[in-house]
């Protein structure tokens, strides 16, 4: 099955460089030069698997585009393209709902590796036949067939990455998980980004699931090591 990638980049030469390399790697591409164009393209192409969003754009910034995409779609994978000098962008981007970031200048190989990894995660593996389809962990109920989470019967909107993190915790209730272990399990062993991405995703997840995100009781921190579900 062919994978479709939206490339949002206002600089035409960078955009065509990315597009040429993605096509060579077997991806279908959809292009946009402004934030508004990207949102329009996504409406016309609901089968896009991954969106690459540049941060500096003429109309709105890439974070705003990300926010607007996430307001309506939690299934698509989002990768921010950030400049090396914009260190803070990474955290901001992930907090607005991006799954990953790639720092410019990047190699075509690095970019396609990130997209491949994200495609694998967002597609997900079908539940095994013996899978009961639900993990109950009051007040939470995780449905592993349609990859959704409920808290007190209310749907919590999660990205596919956030879902994978919750699933990992619920498969390991009460067990301390090292940050590297979470990175390997959710992002894949071939992921070569930074472990910090785990912390940022957990910060975002806590805002969605904790009663008080500043005093988390579900995803607790194991200092100097990682995280754990419960105490
Ligand atoms: Ca730009």
């Amino acid at each position: 099955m062919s994978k479709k990638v939206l490339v949002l980049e206002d600089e035409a030469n960078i955009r065509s460089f990315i597009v040429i390399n993605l096509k060579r790697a077997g991806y279908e591409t959809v292009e946009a030069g402004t934030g508004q164009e990207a949102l329009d393209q996504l409406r016309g192409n609901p089968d896009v698997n991954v969106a690459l969003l540049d941060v500096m754009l003429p109309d709105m910034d890439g974070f705003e585009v990300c926010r607007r995409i996430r307001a309506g779609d939690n299934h698509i994978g989002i990768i921010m393209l950030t400049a090396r000098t914009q260190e803070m962008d990474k955290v901001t981007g992930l907090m607005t709902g991006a799954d990953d970031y790639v720092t410019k200048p990047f190699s075509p190989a690095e970019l396609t590796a990130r997209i491949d990894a994200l495609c694998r995660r967002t597609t997900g593996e079908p539940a095994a036949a013996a899978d009961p389809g639900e993990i109950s962990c009051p007040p939470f109920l995780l449905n592993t067939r349609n990859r959704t989470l409920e808290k007190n019967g209310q749907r919590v909107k999660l990205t596919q990455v956030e879902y994978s993190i919750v699933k990992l915790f619920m498969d390991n209730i009460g067990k301390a998980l090292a940050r590297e272990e979470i990175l390997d399990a959710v992002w894949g062993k071939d992921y070569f980004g930074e472990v910090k991405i785990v912390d940022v995703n957990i910060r975002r997840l806590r805002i969605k699931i904790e009663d008080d995100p500043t005093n988390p009781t579900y995803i607790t921190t194991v200092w100097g090591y990682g995280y754990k579900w419960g105490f």
Side-chain angles (χ1 to χ4, degrees), residues 84-220:
R84 199 167 289 285
T85 47
Q86 300 162 313
E87 193 61 27
M88 279 312 293
D89 282 2
K90 296 174 180 175
V91 175
T92 314
L94 293 169
M95 290 308 286
T96 58
D99 298 297
D100 202 356
Y101 51 81
V102 173
T103 309
K104 291 178 180 178
F106 47 80
S107 71
E110 181 183 5
L111 187 63
T112 50
R114 296 293 187 89
I115 296 171
D116 284 344
L118 190 54
C119 277
R120 277 200 301 278
R121 293 202 304 277
T122 53
T123 319
E125 280 130 45
D131 190 328
E134 281 182 357
I135 300 175
S136 176
C137 182
F140 296 97
L141 182 67
L142 190 75
N143 185 315
T144 57
R145 291 201 191 275
N146 50 24
R147 299 167 68 85
T148 55
L149 178 71
E150 285 180 5
K151 181 182 179 185
N152 295 316
Q154 300 283 318
R155 174 75 65 88
V156 182
K157 284 191 170 182
L158 299 182
T159 67
Q160 292 299 308
V161 168
E162 291 163 351
Y163 167 84
S164 301
I165 296 173
V166 173
K167 170 82 163 54
L168 180 68
F169 278 124
M170 290 199 175
D171 284 337
N172 295 280
I173 289 171
K175 182 181 177 232
L177 300 172
R179 295 153 86 227
E180 291 76 13
E181 211 175 330
I182 299 170
L183 191 71
D184 280 356
V186 175
W187 278 265
K189 288 199 194 303
D190 52 353
Y191 179 80
F192 44 97
E194 302 157 73
V195 75
K196 194 172 73 182
I197 197 171
V198 173
D199 303 320
V200 181
N201 269 277
I202 285 185
R203 218 165 97 195
R204 199 175 66 204
L205 197 46
R206 280 172 168 165
I207 293 170
K208 294 186 179 185
I209 69 167
E210 295 285 349
D211 302 330
D212 174 9
T214 58
N215 185 22
T217 55
Y218 302 117
I219 300 177
T220 54

Side-chain angles (χ1 to χ4, degrees), residues 9-11 54 56-57 104:
E9 166 64 76
D10 58 314
E11 284 166 68
D54 185 34
M56 300 288 282
L57 297 164
K104 291 178 180 178

Side-chain angles (χ1 to χ4, degrees), residues 49-100:
N49 305 92
V50 172
L52 297 180
L53 308 179
D54 185 34
V55 173
M56 300 288 282
L57 297 164
D59 55 343
M60 60 186 98
D61 68 26
F63 303 133
E64 182 56 30
V65 180
C66 179
R67 221 173 274 125
R68 292 191 193 185
I69 294 173
R70 277 286 180 251
D73 183 341
N74 278 301
H75 202 268
I76 191 172
I78 298 179
I79 299 177
M80 304 302 298
L81 304 176
T82 68
R84 199 167 289 285
T85 47
Q86 300 162 313
E87 193 61 27
M88 279 312 293
D89 282 2
K90 296 174 180 175
V91 175
T92 314
L94 293 169
M95 290 308 286
T96 58
D99 298 297
D100 202 356

